[in-house]
Protein backbone atom coordinates (compact mmCIF):
# COMPACT_ATOMS: atom_id res chain seq x y z
CA UNK A 1 0.00 0.00 0.00
CA UNK A 2 1.45 3.40 -0.93
CA UNK A 3 2.22 5.74 1.91
CA UNK A 4 -0.30 8.41 2.83
CA UNK A 5 -0.52 11.70 0.98
CA UNK A 6 -0.33 14.42 3.60
CA UNK A 7 -1.57 17.99 3.48
CA UNK A 8 -1.17 20.66 6.17
CA UNK A 9 -2.84 24.06 6.41
CA UNK A 10 -2.67 27.03 8.73
CA UNK A 11 -6.22 28.17 9.33
CA UNK A 12 -6.39 31.91 9.96
CA UNK A 13 -8.71 32.84 12.81
CA UNK A 14 -9.15 36.46 11.75
CA UNK A 15 -10.23 36.00 8.18
CA UNK A 16 -13.78 34.70 8.06
CA UNK A 17 -14.00 35.22 4.31
CA UNK A 18 -11.11 32.79 3.80
CA UNK A 19 -12.49 30.12 6.14
CA UNK A 20 -13.05 26.92 4.23
CA UNK A 21 -10.06 27.33 1.93
CA UNK A 22 -8.31 24.30 3.43
CA UNK A 23 -11.43 22.14 3.11
CA UNK A 24 -11.82 23.28 -0.45
CA UNK A 25 -8.27 22.27 -1.33
CA UNK A 26 -8.69 18.90 0.33
CA UNK A 27 -11.92 18.31 -1.52
CA UNK A 28 -10.22 19.08 -4.81
CA UNK A 29 -7.31 16.74 -4.00
CA UNK A 30 -9.67 13.90 -3.06
CA UNK A 31 -11.56 14.33 -6.31
CA UNK A 32 -8.36 14.39 -8.33
CA UNK A 33 -7.19 11.22 -6.63
CA UNK A 34 -10.37 9.53 -7.79
CA UNK A 35 -11.82 8.89 -4.32
CA UNK A 36 -15.51 7.87 -4.44
CA UNK A 37 -17.89 10.88 -4.55
CA UNK A 38 -19.80 9.89 -1.41
CA UNK A 39 -16.55 9.78 0.57
CA UNK A 40 -15.37 13.06 -0.93
CA UNK A 41 -18.60 14.79 0.05
CA UNK A 42 -18.63 13.44 3.61
CA UNK A 43 -14.96 14.35 4.11
CA UNK A 44 -15.53 17.84 2.73
CA UNK A 45 -18.50 18.45 5.04
CA UNK A 46 -16.68 17.13 8.12
CA UNK A 47 -13.54 19.11 7.49
CA UNK A 48 -15.44 22.29 6.65
CA UNK A 49 -17.54 22.09 9.86
CA UNK A 50 -14.32 21.59 11.83
CA UNK A 51 -12.50 24.37 10.00
CA UNK A 52 -15.36 26.81 10.60
CA UNK A 53 -15.42 25.83 14.28
CA UNK A 54 -11.69 26.58 14.55
CA UNK A 55 -12.30 30.02 13.06
CA UNK A 56 -15.43 31.03 14.97
CA UNK A 57 -14.67 29.40 18.34
CA UNK A 58 -10.89 29.10 18.61
CA UNK A 59 -9.16 31.84 16.61
CA UNK A 60 -7.76 29.45 14.01
CA UNK A 61 -5.37 26.51 14.14
CA UNK A 62 -3.71 23.84 12.06
CA UNK A 63 -5.43 21.29 9.85
CA UNK A 64 -3.60 18.11 8.83
CA UNK A 65 -4.99 15.57 6.44
CA UNK A 66 -3.71 12.11 5.55
CA UNK A 67 -5.16 10.48 2.46
CA UNK A 68 -4.81 6.74 2.01
CA UNK A 69 -6.43 4.38 -0.46
CA UNK A 70 -10.01 4.07 0.79
CA UNK A 71 -9.69 6.42 3.76
CA UNK A 72 -9.14 10.00 4.85
CA UNK A 73 -7.93 11.13 8.27
CA UNK A 74 -8.49 14.74 9.27
CA UNK A 75 -6.93 16.37 12.33
CA UNK A 76 -7.89 19.89 13.39
CA UNK A 77 -5.76 21.29 16.20
CA UNK A 78 -6.32 24.64 17.87
CA UNK A 79 -5.10 26.57 20.91
CA UNK A 80 -8.48 28.05 21.60
CA UNK A 81 -10.48 28.13 24.84
CA UNK A 82 -11.31 24.40 24.85
CA UNK A 83 -14.78 22.92 25.33
CA UNK A 84 -15.92 22.89 28.99
CA UNK A 85 -18.73 20.32 28.57
CA UNK A 86 -18.18 18.10 25.58
CA UNK A 87 -21.36 16.09 26.06
CA UNK A 88 -23.37 19.32 25.97
CA UNK A 89 -21.43 20.62 22.95
CA UNK A 90 -22.26 17.42 21.04
CA UNK A 91 -25.98 18.03 21.47
CA UNK A 92 -27.84 19.32 18.46
CA UNK A 93 -28.79 22.96 18.99
CA UNK A 94 -26.19 23.80 21.61
CA UNK A 95 -24.08 26.75 20.54
CA UNK A 96 -22.02 29.53 22.06
CA UNK A 97 -21.42 31.18 18.67
CA UNK A 98 -21.16 34.96 18.57
CA UNK A 99 -23.76 37.22 17.05
CA UNK A 100 -21.35 37.77 14.16
CA UNK A 101 -21.05 34.05 13.42
CA UNK A 102 -24.83 33.71 13.57
CA UNK A 103 -25.33 36.55 11.13
CA UNK A 104 -23.13 34.66 8.71
CA UNK A 105 -25.32 31.56 8.79
CA UNK A 106 -23.59 29.57 11.53
CA UNK A 107 -24.25 28.91 15.19
CA UNK A 108 -27.11 26.47 14.93
CA UNK A 109 -25.25 23.96 17.07
CA UNK A 110 -25.22 21.41 14.30
CA UNK A 111 -21.54 21.21 13.33
CA UNK A 112 -20.35 18.62 15.85
CA UNK A 113 -23.47 16.43 15.39
CA UNK A 114 -22.92 16.64 11.62
CA UNK A 115 -19.32 15.56 12.02
CA UNK A 116 -20.40 12.65 14.18
CA UNK A 117 -22.95 11.57 11.64
CA UNK A 118 -20.73 11.82 8.57
CA UNK A 119 -17.40 10.61 9.95
CA UNK A 120 -16.76 6.94 10.63
CA UNK A 121 -14.68 7.87 13.68
CA UNK A 122 -14.68 11.12 15.65
CA UNK A 123 -12.38 11.84 18.56
CA UNK A 124 -12.24 15.15 20.42
CA UNK A 125 -9.44 15.97 22.86
CA UNK A 126 -10.09 19.22 24.61
CA UNK A 127 -8.69 21.04 27.61
CA UNK A 128 -9.91 24.35 28.95
CA UNK A 129 -7.41 27.12 28.29
CA UNK A 130 -5.18 24.81 26.22
CA UNK A 131 -7.11 23.94 23.10
CA UNK A 132 -9.01 21.34 21.15
CA UNK A 133 -7.94 18.62 18.75
CA UNK A 134 -10.60 17.01 16.61
CA UNK A 135 -9.65 13.84 14.74
CA UNK A 136 -11.91 12.24 12.18
CA UNK A 137 -11.49 9.14 10.06
CA UNK A 138 -13.66 8.54 7.03
CA UNK A 139 -13.67 5.31 5.08
CA UNK A 140 -14.90 4.32 1.69
CA UNK A 141 -18.27 2.77 2.55
CA UNK A 142 -18.59 1.27 -0.91
CA UNK A 143 -15.57 -0.99 -0.44
CA UNK B 1 -35.68 20.79 -14.77
CA UNK B 2 -32.87 22.66 -16.46
CA UNK B 3 -31.33 25.72 -14.83
CA UNK B 4 -32.34 27.67 -17.92
CA UNK B 5 -36.04 26.94 -17.34
CA UNK B 6 -35.76 27.77 -13.65
CA UNK B 7 -34.18 31.10 -14.49
CA UNK B 8 -37.16 31.92 -16.68
CA UNK B 9 -39.78 30.75 -14.17
CA UNK B 10 -38.46 32.93 -11.36
CA UNK B 11 -37.30 35.73 -13.63
CA UNK B 12 -33.74 35.61 -12.32
CA UNK B 13 -30.64 37.43 -13.49
CA UNK B 14 -27.65 35.17 -14.14
CA UNK B 15 -24.39 36.42 -12.60
CA UNK B 16 -22.12 33.57 -13.68
CA UNK B 17 -22.21 30.04 -15.05
CA UNK B 18 -23.73 30.57 -18.48
CA UNK B 19 -22.33 27.21 -19.62
CA UNK B 20 -24.25 25.40 -16.86
CA UNK B 21 -27.71 26.50 -17.98
CA UNK B 22 -28.53 23.11 -19.46
CA UNK B 23 -27.70 21.20 -16.27
CA UNK B 24 -30.61 19.37 -14.66
CA UNK B 25 -31.86 20.25 -11.17
CA UNK B 26 -33.89 17.60 -9.35
CA UNK B 27 -33.76 18.59 -5.70
CA UNK B 28 -33.59 22.03 -4.15
CA UNK B 29 -32.59 23.28 -0.71
CA UNK B 30 -33.94 26.58 0.63
CA UNK B 31 -32.13 27.87 3.73
CA UNK B 32 -30.30 30.74 5.37
CA UNK B 33 -28.69 28.39 7.83
CA UNK B 34 -25.46 26.99 6.48
CA UNK B 35 -25.16 24.16 9.03
CA UNK B 36 -28.60 23.08 7.93
CA UNK B 37 -27.48 22.94 4.30
CA UNK B 38 -24.40 20.97 5.36
CA UNK B 39 -26.49 18.54 7.40
CA UNK B 40 -29.24 17.75 4.95
CA UNK B 41 -28.59 18.91 1.42
CA UNK B 42 -28.42 16.39 -1.37
CA UNK B 43 -29.90 18.73 -3.94
CA UNK B 44 -28.26 20.54 -6.81
CA UNK B 45 -29.66 23.99 -6.12
CA UNK B 46 -29.64 26.30 -3.09
CA UNK B 47 -32.05 29.18 -2.60
CA UNK B 48 -30.97 31.61 0.09
CA UNK B 49 -31.28 35.15 1.37
CA UNK B 50 -27.86 35.08 3.01
CA UNK B 51 -24.96 36.72 1.20
CA UNK B 52 -21.36 36.02 2.25
CA UNK B 53 -18.49 33.92 0.90
CA UNK B 54 -19.36 31.00 3.19
CA UNK B 55 -22.57 30.49 1.21
CA UNK B 56 -20.45 29.64 -1.84
CA UNK B 57 -18.12 27.47 0.26
CA UNK B 58 -21.01 25.61 1.86
CA UNK B 59 -22.56 25.01 -1.55
CA UNK B 60 -19.22 23.76 -2.81
CA UNK B 61 -18.90 21.19 -0.01
CA UNK B 62 -22.31 19.64 -0.71
CA UNK B 63 -21.93 19.60 -4.52
CA UNK B 64 -24.54 22.28 -5.25
CA UNK B 65 -24.40 23.45 -8.89
CA UNK B 66 -26.52 26.58 -8.75
CA UNK B 67 -27.23 29.23 -6.09
CA UNK B 68 -30.24 31.54 -6.25
CA UNK B 69 -30.17 34.67 -4.10
CA UNK B 70 -33.72 35.74 -3.30
CA UNK B 71 -35.02 39.30 -2.78
CA UNK B 72 -32.46 40.85 -5.08
CA UNK B 73 -29.56 40.06 -2.76
CA UNK B 74 -26.44 40.45 -4.85
CA UNK B 75 -23.08 38.83 -4.09
CA UNK B 76 -19.96 40.94 -4.53
CA UNK B 77 -17.31 40.41 -7.21
CA UNK B 78 -15.18 38.24 -4.90
CA UNK B 79 -18.05 35.85 -4.27
CA UNK B 80 -18.88 35.61 -7.95
CA UNK B 81 -15.23 34.92 -8.72
CA UNK B 82 -15.21 32.14 -6.13
CA UNK B 83 -18.35 30.62 -7.62
CA UNK B 84 -16.81 30.80 -11.09
CA UNK B 85 -13.72 29.05 -9.80
CA UNK B 86 -15.90 26.30 -8.32
CA UNK B 87 -17.86 26.03 -11.54
CA UNK B 88 -21.22 27.05 -10.11
CA UNK B 89 -24.03 29.08 -11.61
CA UNK B 90 -25.22 32.06 -9.55
CA UNK B 91 -28.46 33.98 -10.05
CA UNK B 92 -30.34 36.69 -8.21
CA UNK B 93 -34.08 37.30 -8.38
CA UNK B 94 -36.68 39.68 -7.07
CA UNK B 95 -38.97 37.23 -5.33
CA UNK B 96 -38.72 36.22 -1.69
CA UNK B 97 -37.44 32.81 -0.68
CA UNK B 98 -41.04 31.73 -0.03
CA UNK B 99 -42.15 32.79 -3.49
CA UNK B 100 -39.21 31.22 -5.30
CA UNK B 101 -39.66 27.93 -3.44
CA UNK B 102 -43.40 28.02 -4.12
CA UNK B 103 -43.01 28.55 -7.85
CA UNK B 104 -40.43 25.80 -8.19
CA UNK B 105 -42.46 23.37 -6.09
CA UNK B 106 -45.50 24.05 -8.22
CA UNK B 107 -43.47 23.14 -11.27
CA UNK B 108 -42.45 19.79 -9.89
CA UNK B 109 -39.18 20.41 -8.10
CA UNK B 110 -38.82 18.90 -4.65
CA UNK B 111 -36.70 19.26 -1.54
CA UNK B 112 -34.34 16.69 -0.14
CA UNK B 113 -35.46 13.10 -0.46
N1 LIG C 1 -12.70 24.18 18.27
C1 LIG C 1 -13.51 24.59 19.25
N2 LIG C 1 -13.02 25.31 20.28
C2 LIG C 1 -13.82 25.73 21.29
N3 LIG C 1 -15.13 25.46 21.36
C3 LIG C 1 -15.67 24.74 20.37
C4 LIG C 1 -14.91 24.27 19.26
N4 LIG C 1 -15.73 23.57 18.45
C5 LIG C 1 -16.94 23.60 19.01
N5 LIG C 1 -16.93 24.30 20.17
C6 LIG C 1 -18.06 24.51 21.09
O1 LIG C 1 -19.05 23.54 20.85
C7 LIG C 1 -20.29 24.18 20.47
C8 LIG C 1 -21.02 23.33 19.46
O2 LIG C 1 -20.29 23.25 18.24
P1 LIG C 1 -21.07 23.00 16.88
O3 LIG C 1 -20.10 23.01 15.74
O4 LIG C 1 -21.90 21.77 17.04
O5 LIG C 1 -22.07 24.22 16.77
P2 LIG C 1 -21.76 25.74 16.37
O6 LIG C 1 -20.42 25.86 15.75
O7 LIG C 1 -22.01 26.60 17.56
O8 LIG C 1 -22.89 26.02 15.27
P3 LIG C 1 -22.92 25.42 13.77
O9 LIG C 1 -21.87 24.37 13.67
O10 LIG C 1 -24.29 24.88 13.59
O11 LIG C 1 -22.63 26.56 12.89
C9 LIG C 1 -19.86 25.53 19.97
O12 LIG C 1 -20.90 26.49 20.02
C10 LIG C 1 -18.72 25.87 20.91
O13 LIG C 1 -19.20 26.28 22.17
MG1 LIG D 1 -19.87 24.54 14.21
Amino acid sequence: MPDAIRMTFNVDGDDFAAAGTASSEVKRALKQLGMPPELVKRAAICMYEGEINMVIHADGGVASVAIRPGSVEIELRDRGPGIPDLELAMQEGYSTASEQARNLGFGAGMGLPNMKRYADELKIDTKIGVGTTVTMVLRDRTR
Amino acid sequence: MRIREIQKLIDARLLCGEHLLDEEIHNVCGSDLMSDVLAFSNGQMLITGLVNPQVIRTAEMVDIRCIVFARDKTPDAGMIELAREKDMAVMTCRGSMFDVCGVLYQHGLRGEE
Side-chain angles (χ1 to χ4, degrees):
Chain A
M1 189 166 111
D3 204 22
I5 296 170
R6 290 176 194 280
M7 302 173 85
T8 306
F9 306 88
N10 278 310
V11 177
D12 188 346
D14 296 322
D15 190 356
F16 187 81
T21 315
S23 306
S24 178
E25 282 190 37
V26 169
K27 185 173 188 197
R28 186 170 50 190
L30 293 174
K31 257 197 206 159
Q32 270 171 2
L33 289 164
M35 301 290 258
E38 76 84 36
L39 175 62
V40 175
K41 183 171 169 180
R42 283 191 293 121
I45 292 172
C46 285
M47 179 158 173
Y48 181 66
E49 289 281 18
E51 189 180 352
I52 294 286
N53 276 356
M54 277 205 296
V55 174
I56 67 177
H57 304 300
D59 201 26
V62 176
S64 321
V65 179
I67 306 169
R68 299 184 181 86
S71 81
V72 185
E73 187 176 332
I74 302 165
E75 187 198 85
L76 303 151
R77 183 185 295 269
D78 69 58
R79 291 164 178 272
I83 304 174
D85 186 341
L86 193 54
E87 203 181 315
L88 187 62
M90 289 303 301
Q91 282 177 22
E92 212 161 283
Y94 176 82
S95 176
T96 61
S98 66
E99 190 62 30
Q100 193 203 5
R102 287 173 200 271
N103 288 340
L104 292 163
F106 294 92
M110 290 171 71
L112 291 175
N114 275 355
M115 287 150 80
K116 193 180 162 86
R117 172 163 43 176
Y118 287 121
D120 294 297
E121 282 173 39
L122 168 68
K123 197 174 112 219
I124 303 174
D125 280 321
T126 185
K127 204 166 173 203
I128 295 170
V130 178
T132 301
T133 301
V134 176
T135 313
M136 291 174 280
V137 180
L138 294 99
R139 296 190 193 88
D140 181 359
R141 290 178 180 173
T142 64
R143 273 179 31 152
Chain B
M1 187 184 297
R2 286 182 304 172
I3 296 177
R4 183 185 303 285
E5 297 162 67
I6 292 172
Q7 185 194 359
K8 230 179 243 149
L9 278 175
I10 59 174
D11 195 18
R13 186 160 56 92
L14 187 73
L15 303 174
C16 72
E18 179 99 56
H19 65 291
L20 299 172
L21 285 177
D22 285 319
E23 283 211 10
E24 286 285 338
I25 304 293
H26 305 281
N27 296 87
V28 182
C29 174
S31 186
D32 287 347
L33 204 53
M34 293 303 107
S35 330
D36 202 62
V37 178
L38 290 162
F40 302 113
S41 177
N42 56 18
Q44 302 80 39
M45 175 178 268
L46 170 66
I47 304 165
T48 187
L50 187 73
V51 193
N52 71 65
Q54 296 313 328
V55 176
I56 314 279
R57 288 272 180 232
T58 298
E60 175 196 352
M61 299 308 153
V62 297
D63 298 325
I64 277 168
R65 304 292 293 151
C66 178
I67 303 175
V68 177
F69 290 101
R71 268 206 215 287
D72 269 339
K73 298 265 170 58
T74 309
D76 63 20
M79 285 179 66
I80 294 173
E81 193 45 47
L82 186 59
R84 232 188 270 275
E85 205 179 285
K86 302 304 168 193
D87 203 33
M88 268 180 236
V90 175
M91 313 194 263
T92 174
C93 76
R94 228 235 172 108
S96 68
M97 177 133 91
F98 179 86
D99 290 337
V100 173
C101 293
V103 169
L104 298 185
Y105 192 93
Q106 202 175 21
H107 284 82
L109 285 172
R110 290 295 176 265
E112 271 72 56
E113 64 246 27

